[in-house]
Amino acid sequence: MSAAELGRTVELLVRQVGHWQPPRWAATAEGGNVSRADLVHRLVQEIANLGADAEGLTRRSVPRLDNDLALPDQLRVVAADLLAADPPAGALERAAAEVTATRRAL
């Protein structure tokens, strides 16, 4: 898994959800018991955790903003942070797997 491949995977998800309005974010994710927004926020947190690990920093909670429409931007930011940290290949693979699983559940 390369950084460019992870970037493309993230962009696919952002394009999938970037136009959603609040009712669509509030809908339950497929096969789960959480909203789509909560599922994407969990992904944002996981990517942020991988970035913190790659930088050797303490993990921090990503704020859950009031407006779900900000979630695609949050995902872009934490993905860019992860890529800037020059993570090991395993972290890139795990991030891509998480993004792909989230796309399928949406």
Side-chain angles (χ1 to χ4, degrees):
M1 172 64 57
S2 71
E5 290 170 321
L6 175 59
R8 282 191 296 275
T9 303
V10 168
E11 269 310 303
L12 285 172
L13 177 56
V14 167
R15 279 189 252 155
Q16 179 180 343
V17 303
H19 62 281
W20 287 4
Q21 294 300 312
R24 200 154 179 193
W25 282 110
T28 302
E30 185 154 332
N33 59 356
V34 298
S35 71
R36 291 172 169 167
D38 289 339
L39 185 66
V40 173
H41 183 263
R42 187 205 57 78
L43 172 64
V44 168
Q45 183 64 60
E46 183 59 31
I47 302 295
N49 290 345
L50 290 170
D53 293 348
E55 292 183 71
L57 300 174
T58 303
R59 291 179 174 189
R60 297 183 188 172
S61 294
V62 176
R64 182 72 164 86
L65 302 176
D66 292 335
N67 189 343
D68 294 333
L69 303 179
L71 286 165
D73 290 331
Q74 279 188 307
L75 179 59
R76 279 188 176 123
V77 168
V78 296
D81 288 347
L82 172 62
L83 295 173
D86 193 27
L92 292 175
E93 290 171 9
R94 182 169 172 202
E98 292 285 336
V99 172
T100 300
T102 300
R103 282 190 70 217
R104 287 184 184 136
L106 294 173

